[in-house]
C-alpha cells in the first residue's frame, strides 16, 4: 500500500506490479464512469431524437458489442503486460517510432477534448451560478480535475466512487421527473421527434463515440489482476454505461422533443441538471487528462530519451488544456480532433493481430519477466503502411461503419503481412527504465 501511495508517476513507463493492482469491481466503477459521461448522454439524446426507443435499443446493443469485443482483446494485452497503451505498442507491432506517434496522437487528442469538455462544464456552471463568469469556472474546473489526476489511479478511483453514484442518482431523478409527466409506454412507443436516423448511422455513432476509449483500454486494464477481471469489468462497465446513460438520453429526448442535452436536463430537474452535466464531464475528463499524460510521457521518452515524471507532465497538460478552455479557441480544433480520431481504430486492429496471431515481437515481452524488454525495434515499415492505409480507408470510405471497417482492415492486413514475412523490425533502440517505474 505504501508503494501505491507514493507512486504518483503511476508506472508510466514500466509494468504495474501485482501489489499495485485492484479488484475488478473497483476498475469497473472507473470504466463505467468513463463510459457514462456527458458525451454518452448527448449520444443517447441524439439517437433518440431520430429513432424510436426500440430502434435506439438495437443500435446501442450493436455498438456496445463491437466496443466490448475490441476493449476486451486490447484490455487483455494491457492486463497481461501491465503497460499503458503507448508503451506496449513498442512491442505490439509499432516499434518505438510508431509508439511515439501514438503517444503524441493520444496526448494531443485527449488534451483537446479535456479543454473542450472543461469549457462545456464551465458554461453550464456559469449559467446557473452566475457569480462567476465562464472563464473563472473553466479555471476552477480544469485545475480541480488536474489536482485529482496528479495523484494517479488511486485518487481517480476515490473520485469515481463519489461521482459515479451521484451521477446515477441524478440521472434517475431526471427520468422519474419526466415519467411523472409522460407515461413510460408513451415514450417507448412514440415515433422519433426529429428527422429519421438510419440504423447503420446510429450504430456507427455508438461505436465511434467510444472507439478511442476502447483503444486506450490498456491504460486502465494494466491495473486489473486477471483476464476474467478484464472481461467482467468491460461487460459491466461498458454495458451499463451504454444502456443506462444512453437509453436515459433516448427517453428524455422523446419526452422533451429535443436533442439539446442542456435543455433536456435543465427543463427536467432545473439546476440539478447542471450538476448532472458537471459530474458527467468530471469523470470522463480525468481519464482524458490521465491518458494524455501517459501518451506525452511515452512520446518524450522515445523521441528525446528524456524520462519525465507523469505527474509533472499531467500538471503541465492540465494547465494548457485549462488555458485553451479559458481562451475559447478550442472550437477551432474540433475538426482537427475529429480527423485525428480516425487514426485510433487501426491501432487496436494491429495490436490484437500482432499480440494474438502474428507474435513477431511477443517473445521479447514474455522473456522480460517483471521488467520490460531491454530493447525494442525502432520502426516497423509494414505497420506504418498498414496504419496509414487503414486510417485513409476509414476516413474516405463511408459505407458501413468506418471506424470498424478500419479496425478490421488493419487486423487483416497485418496478419497477411505477418504470414508473408513483411513484419520486420528495423533498427534497435535501447530501453532504460526503473523497474518500479518511479522515475
Amino acid at each position: 500500500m505504501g508503494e501505491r501511495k507514493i507512486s504518483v508517476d503511476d508506472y508510466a513507463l514500466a509494468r504495474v506490479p501485482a501489489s499495485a493492482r485492484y479488484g475488478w469491481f473497483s476498475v469497473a466503477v472507473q470504466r463505467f464512469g468513463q463510459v457514462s459521461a456527458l458525451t454518452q448522454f448527448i449520444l443517447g439524446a441524439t439517437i433518440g431524437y431520430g429513432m424510436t426507443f426500440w430502434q435506439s435499443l438495437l443500435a446501442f446493443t450493436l455498438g456496445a458489442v463491437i466496443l466490448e469485443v475490441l476493449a476486451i482483446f486490447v484490455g487483455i494485452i494491457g492486463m497481461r503486460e501491465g503497460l499503458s497503451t503507448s508503451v506496449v505498442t513498442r512491442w505490439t507491432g509499432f516499434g518505438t517510432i510508431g509508439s511515439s506517434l501514438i503517444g503524441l496522437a493520444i496526448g494531443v487528442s485527449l488534451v483537446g477534448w479535456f479543454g473542450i469538455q472543461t469549457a462545456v462544464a464551465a458554461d453550464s456552471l456559469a449559467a446557473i451560478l452566475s457569480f462567476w463568469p465562464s472563464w473563472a469556472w473553466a479555471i476552477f474546473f480544469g485545475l480541480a480535475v488536474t489536482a485529482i489526476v496528479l495523484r494517479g489511479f488511486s485518487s481517480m478511483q476515490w473520485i469515481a466512487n463519489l461521482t459515479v453514484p451521484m451521477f446515477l442518482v441524478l440521472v434517475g431523478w431526471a427520468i422519474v421527473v419526466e415519467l411523472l409527466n409522460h407515461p413510460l409506454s408513451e415514450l417507448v412507443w412514440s415515433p422519433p421527434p426529429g428527422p429519421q436516423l438510419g440504423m447503420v448511422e446510429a450504430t456507427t455513432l455508438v461505436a465511434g463515440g467510444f472507439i478511442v476509449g476502447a483503444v486506450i483500454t490498456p491504460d486502465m486494464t494494466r491495473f486489473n489482476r486477471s483476464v476474467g477481471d478484464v472481461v467482467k469489468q468491460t461487460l459491466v462497465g461498458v454495458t451499463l454505461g451504454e444502456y443506462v446513460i444512453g437509453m436515459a438520453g433516448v427517453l428524455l429526448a422523446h419526452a422533451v422533443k429535443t436533442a439539446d442535452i442542456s435543455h433536456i436536463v435543465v427543463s427536467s430537474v432545473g439546476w440539478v441538471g447542471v450538476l448532472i452535466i458537471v459530474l458527467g464531464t468530471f469523470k470522463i475528463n480525468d481519464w482524458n487528462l490521465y491518458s494524455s499524460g501517459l501518451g506525452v510521457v511515452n512520446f518524450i521518452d522515445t523521441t528525446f530519451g528524456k524520462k519525465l515524471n507523469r505527474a509533472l507532465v499531467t500538471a503541465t497538460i492540465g494547465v494548457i488544456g485549462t488555458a485553451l478552455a479559458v481562451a475559447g479557441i478550442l472550437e477551432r480544433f474540433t475538426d482537427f480532433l475529429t480527423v485525428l480520431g480516425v487514426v485510433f481504430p487501426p491501432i487496436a486492429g494491429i495490436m490484437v493481430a500482432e499480440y494474438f496471431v502474428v507474435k513477431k515481437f511477443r517473445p521479447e515481452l514474455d522473456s522480460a519477466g517483471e521488467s520490460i524488454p531491454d530493447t525494442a525495434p525502432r520502426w516497423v515499415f509494414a505497420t506504418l503502411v498498414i496504419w496509414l492505409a487503414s486510417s485513409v480507408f476509414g476516413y474516405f470510405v463511408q459505407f458501413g461503419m468506418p471506424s470498424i471497417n478500419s479496425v478490421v482492415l488493419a487486423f487483416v492486413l497485418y496478419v497477411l503481412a505477418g504470414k508473408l514475412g513483411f513484419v520486420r523490425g528495423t533498427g534497435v533502440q535501447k530501453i532504460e527504465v526503473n523497474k518500479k517505474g518511479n522515475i
Side-chain angles (χ1 to χ4, degrees), residues 156-211:
M156 293 162 64
Q157 183 65 55
W158 182 86
I159 204 70
N161 293 339
L162 176 67
T163 59
V164 170
M166 290 177 62
F167 183 68
L168 285 175
V169 169
L170 293 173
V171 169
W173 183 10
I175 294 174
V176 169
V177 168
E178 283 302 327
L179 290 180
L180 292 177
N181 299 321
H182 303 84
L184 180 60
S185 59
E186 174 188 316
L187 300 180
V188 168
W189 295 107
S190 63
Q196 185 71 34
L197 189 65
M199 184 58 65
V200 171
E201 184 180 359
T203 304
T204 300
L205 287 174
V206 175
F210 193 65
I211 194 72

Side-chain angles (χ1 to χ4, degrees), residues 106 110-111 113-114 117 284-293:
I106 290 173
L110 295 185
V111 75
W113 290 119
F114 171 84
Q117 297 199 55
I284 184 63
N285 239 9
D286 61 355
W287 271 102
N288 283 338
L289 183 57
Y290 184 76
S291 290
S292 179

Side-chain angles (χ1 to χ4, degrees), residues 11-36:
Y11 311 97
L13 295 171
R15 297 185 193 267
V16 176
S19 61
R21 302 202 180 197
Y22 293 74
W24 76 270
F25 186 77
S26 294
V27 185
V29 172
Q30 293 253 39
R31 174 59 101 187
F32 177 75
Q34 187 186 34
V35 180
S36 62

Side-chain angles (χ1 to χ4, degrees), residues 151-374:
R151 295 301 304 169
F153 190 91
S154 59
S155 180
M156 293 162 64
Q157 183 65 55
W158 182 86
I159 204 70
N161 293 339
L162 176 67
T163 59
V164 170
M166 290 177 62
F167 183 68
L168 285 175
V169 169
L170 293 173
V171 169
W173 183 10
I175 294 174
V176 169
V177 168
E178 283 302 327
L179 290 180
L180 292 177
N181 299 321
H182 303 84
L184 180 60
S185 59
E186 174 188 316
L187 300 180
V188 168
W189 295 107
S190 63
Q196 185 71 34
L197 189 65
M199 184 58 65
V200 171
E201 184 180 359
T203 304
T204 300
L205 287 174
V206 175
F210 193 65
I211 194 72
V212 175
V215 172
I216 62 174
T217 292
D219 291 354
M220 183 179 294
T221 58
R222 65 198 182 110
F223 288 97
N224 280 124
R225 295 170 177 167
S226 68
V227 171
D229 284 359
V230 173
V231 174
K232 287 184 289 187
Q233 163 209 310
T234 303
L235 291 179
V236 171
V238 175
T239 301
L240 288 179
E242 293 291 343
Y243 282 120
V244 174
I245 306 304
M247 295 310 295
V250 170
L251 287 174
L252 291 175
H254 277 245
V256 186
K257 310 298 184 186
T258 180
D260 183 344
I261 196 66
S262 298
H263 177 73
I264 288 175
V265 293
V266 172
S267 65
S268 298
V269 287
W271 67 268
V272 177
V274 176
L275 189 55
I276 293 176
I277 293 173
V278 171
L279 288 175
T281 304
F282 198 102
K283 199 61 207 79
I284 184 63
N285 239 9
D286 61 355
W287 271 102
N288 283 338
L289 183 57
Y290 184 76
S291 290
S292 179
L294 293 177
V296 172
V297 166
N298 178 68
F299 171 72
I300 294 174
D301 178 49
T302 54
T303 305
F304 304 105
K306 301 293 184 181
K307 292 175 172 54
L308 299 183
N309 184 275
R310 182 205 63 86
L312 176 62
V313 172
T314 297
T316 303
I317 293 173
V319 171
I320 292 173
T322 301
L324 291 175
V326 171
I329 63 173
L330 282 167
E331 289 184 6
R332 300 181 183 179
F333 289 101
T334 302
D335 291 339
F336 168 69
L337 292 171
T338 301
V339 173
L340 191 61
V342 176
V343 309
F344 283 96
I347 295 173
I350 293 170
M351 288 177 66
V352 173
E354 162 58 32
Y355 193 84
F356 293 104
V357 182
V358 178
K359 301 182 181 179
K360 173 68 175 179
F361 309 104
R362 178 79 176 270
E364 297 179 45
L365 285 169
D366 292 342
S367 63
E370 295 182 359
S371 186
I372 63 174
D374 294 329

